[in-house]
Amino acid sequence: MFVLNLGEHRNHEIRRRPHHRLSREEDMNTSSTHLTLLVLLLAIIALFCTLVAAAAGLLARIDGATYPSALLRAAVAFAGSATLSLALLTFILATL
């Protein structure tokens, strides 16, 4: 981060401000266990969203919707469930 020092001098002095280094405990949890758990949770969310989308598309098709309309409903269901699932995962990880 650069700081512009506007003192009494006419020349503007740009100096470098030292960064605050986080301790190891404050640093992000990047251990292999945490990363593995996060990848596993993301895979479960992707599987869940795919199943929701497939069910929505199938139910739309059974209801008599055309293939493009059923595919659109499946895509909307996938996007909605992915958004909700990722928001919930973010909330859970932030509170832990």
Side-chain angles (χ1 to χ4, degrees):
M1 170 188 283
F2 290 101
V3 177
L4 185 60
N5 187 5
L6 299 175
E8 295 180 7
H9 302 290
R10 298 190 101 170
N11 295 335
H12 299 296
E13 178 185 335
I14 297 178
R15 60 186 168 88
R16 194 163 185 92
R17 180 180 288 176
H19 289 287
H20 173 69
R21 178 70 182 147
L22 298 175
S23 66
R24 188 172 286 269
E25 292 81 22
E26 294 174 340
D27 205 4
M28 292 180 61
N29 294 330
T30 56
S31 67
S32 62
T33 305
H34 287 106
L35 290 176
T36 304
L37 183 61
L38 183 63
V39 168
L40 180 64
L41 287 173
L42 290 175
I44 290 171
I45 286 174
L47 179 63
F48 170 73
C49 294
T50 303
L51 290 175
V52 168
L58 181 65
L59 289 174
R61 187 66 186 137
I62 289 173
D63 193 37
T66 62
Y67 283 112
S69 176
L71 186 61
L72 182 62
R73 289 184 194 179
V76 168
F78 181 86
S81 61
T83 302
L84 185 63
S85 299
L86 290 175
L88 183 63
L89 179 64
T90 302
F91 174 73
I92 289 171
L93 290 178
T95 57
L96 293 180

